[in-house]
Amino acid sequence: MSDDPAPGAPLRLFNSLTRQLEEFRPIHPGEARVYTCGPTVYNYPHIGNMRAYVFADVLGRTLSWKGYKLTHVINITDVGHLTDDADAGEDKLEKAAAENAQSIWDIARHYTEAYWSDVKALNIRGPMKAGMPEAAHWSIATDYVPAMIEFAKSIEAHCYELPGGLYFDTSTVADYGRLARAATEDGEGRIDAVEGKRHAADFAIWRKTPPGETRQMEWDSPWGRGAPGWHLECSVMSGQLLGFPFDIHTGGIDHREIHHPNEIAQNQAFCHSEASGANIWMHNNFLVERSGKMSKSAGEFLRLQLLIDRGYHPLAYRLMCLQAHYRSELEFSWEGLQAAHVRLRRLAKAAANVHQLAKSDVQVHDPRLVEILAKFDEAIGDDLNTAVAITLIEKATAFKTDDASTAIATMDQILGLKLLDLERDNLRIRPKSAQISEAEIQSVLSRRLTARAAKDFATSDRLRDELAAQGVEVMDGDPLGWDWKLG
Ligand code: AMP
Ligand code: ZN
């Protein structure tokens, strides 16, 4: 391990493996190699899923900001993920394809594109984002099936065959389940899910297609025709694209219990080592919603597009995520989103008043702004404390100088709120369902202004009520100067 922390405040991150904060020290000097478990593309992502990628994006941006050359791999799972993480149920993509009478490849393509569209709307760095550095490498699971078969062959000594396929014997590796603080026998009754499993926690490396059935996605292997187990892809792609050991592995907190312990077991077997394969394992907590609208099986669920259709800017959702620490549970509510939207608007308006200089090579000289930047660095270094970081960017907007503009641009490289680019008009809450056009609103508003100038308050009030009847709230004296909003 190298000993070259980046200049500035130390970057301390919470390692789920040791359950403590650890200073980031890169394995390869000057480089950071990160793997993030990506989406299973059988349906649209919900906004909870997107919280996981906003978190991973902030981590990646932080490492770049600190000067590390970042290699960030995020996978797309288009095969192998069963409806139950613990080897039970059907393949999520096969199921979606059957329900929609579509080819599995079309399903995967459609939902991958939907996912990328959310990624772009949330300003998550990735290869599809024009003008952005290629910050993330998106690897598709089905491209790696031959590599998965080779990996499985090399760990065969840790496996046993059952009629259903090849299973990993979790008792053959040291300290299985240490990430979840679980033991081999803590399988939540999973031992019955597959007959013949030696331990509850043992899991499929390869699933054979049952006799008489055909799957849309299947490959030949030494253990019969079939498909890889879900956990295999992440070990294979992370090992191949980043090399073992790599620096940081991320995912949602649910992965701390099954998926990541299983990846670790595979990595241990493959590397003939007790080490987990990554130095730091990081997990974002869940976005929760009381009425059950996060569940994809509950009909209409909380997609980013629903937020946009209701008139909210997608970056208001990004800000909502950043207002909470990534390790805390975050409760979604429309009121909370509205508050984040208003805060974003306030920030964008304040930033627009600051001179638009923002050349990345310009130094900040004002000692008060230098201090804000140092505090920002400290906050981010404190396990990505974005909640505090936002208050510091707010402070910087109070300075109306070119220096402030540079400071805001510098901090926004991590927060990714596009503060210097956001158009004021795009930040008006404007539900898709609204019938009235902007031109009509403006025309009524200008008639109302004339009436008010003539002290004809009766007409002014009537026009205001007319707009209210069409869902337009007139905001006289709004400190943000927004004049009106659609509610
Ligand atoms: P999936 O597509 O189901 O594999 O999930 C993609 C990512 O979203 C994983 O990292 C999950 O851990 C994460 N995730 C799922 N539900 C939530 C949620 N409600 N809040 C935050 N992250 C989530
Ligand atoms: Zn994974």
Side-chain angles (χ1 to χ4, degrees), residues 85-291:
D85 281 359
D87 277 341
E90 301 164 71
D91 184 295
K92 288 186 177 187
L93 272 113
E94 293 271 355
K95 185 165 177 267
E99 281 168 3
N100 295 288
Q102 267 184 313
S103 111
I104 211 164
W105 301 99
D106 288 343
I107 294 273
R109 192 175 319 110
H110 177 78
Y111 291 117
T112 301
E113 278 165 15
Y115 168 70
W116 277 341
S117 144
D118 284 4
V119 159
K120 195 168 172 178
L122 290 167
N123 199 24
I124 291 169
R125 297 198 305 183
M128 79 298 299
K129 183 78 187 73
M132 282 283 199
E134 286 250 339
H137 176 88
W138 303 84
S139 57
I140 315 281
T142 45
D143 290 344
Y144 286 82
V145 174
M148 290 188 227
I149 293 171
E150 288 310 308
F151 186 108
K153 279 202 241 167
S154 77
I155 59 169
E156 228 178 330
H158 292 264
C159 301
Y160 55 95
E161 245 185 295
L162 290 178
L166 188 68
Y167 280 78
F168 191 96
D169 182 335
T170 50
S171 70
T172 64
V173 290
D175 215 4
Y176 172 80
R178 67 187 127 149
L179 180 67
R181 301 281 192 268
T184 324
E185 296 308 327
D186 291 345
E188 299 162 24
R190 280 184 269 136
I191 197 149
D192 298 328
V194 177
E195 212 184 307
K197 258 177 33 169
R198 291 181 190 163
H199 313 95
D202 292 357
F203 57 91
I205 291 284
W206 190 262
R207 286 178 301 111
K208 275 190 237 181
T209 305
E213 276 183 30
T214 43
R215 289 180 180 148
Q216 285 195 44
M217 278 187 178
E218 51 181 13
W219 293 260
D220 286 324
S221 84
W223 318 282
R225 207 163 161 72
W230 170 44
H231 315 292
L232 193 55
E233 63 175 86
C234 289
S235 283
V236 169
M237 293 188 275
S238 61
Q240 197 152 351
L241 296 165
L242 301 173
F244 288 125
F246 54 93
D247 295 301
I248 304 176
H249 193 311
T250 85
I253 194 143
D254 52 330
H255 289 344
R256 204 179 62 182
E257 310 308 318
I258 299 175
H259 181 48
H260 290 170
N262 291 354
E263 267 189 69
I264 291 174
Q266 293 169 158
N267 298 350
Q268 288 175 295
F270 182 78
C271 299
H272 307 287
S273 156
E274 292 191 3
S276 72
N279 274 358
I280 300 184
W281 291 76
M282 294 177 76
H283 296 96
N284 65 277
N285 211 322
F286 265 32
L287 178 82
V288 293
E289 201 269 338
R290 279 190 216 159
S291 69

Side-chain angles (χ1 to χ4, degrees), residues 406-420:
T406 306
I408 292 166
T410 305
M411 291 187 268
D412 205 29
Q413 281 171 16
I414 288 184
L415 299 181
L417 295 169
K418 293 195 184 171
L419 290 178
L420 294 172

Side-chain angles (χ1 to χ4, degrees), residues 343-355 369 372 389-401 403-409 411-412 419-420:
R343 192 176 190 192
L344 180 67
R345 210 155 69 174
R346 202 178 289 279
L347 259 168
K349 176 143 195 290
N353 287 339
V354 172
H355 286 185
L369 284 160
I372 288 178
I390 295 163
T391 65
L392 291 161
I393 212 167
E394 276 169 339
K395 263 194 184 158
T397 60
F399 297 79
K400 313 278 181 241
T401 57
D403 249 12
S405 175
T406 306
I408 292 166
M411 291 187 268
D412 205 29
L419 290 178
L420 294 172

Side-chain angles (χ1 to χ4, degrees), residues 42-54:
Y42 71 105
N43 202 335
Y44 295 105
H46 57 51
I47 54 172
N49 297 133
M50 298 317 293
R51 185 184 187 199
Y53 307 113
V54 168

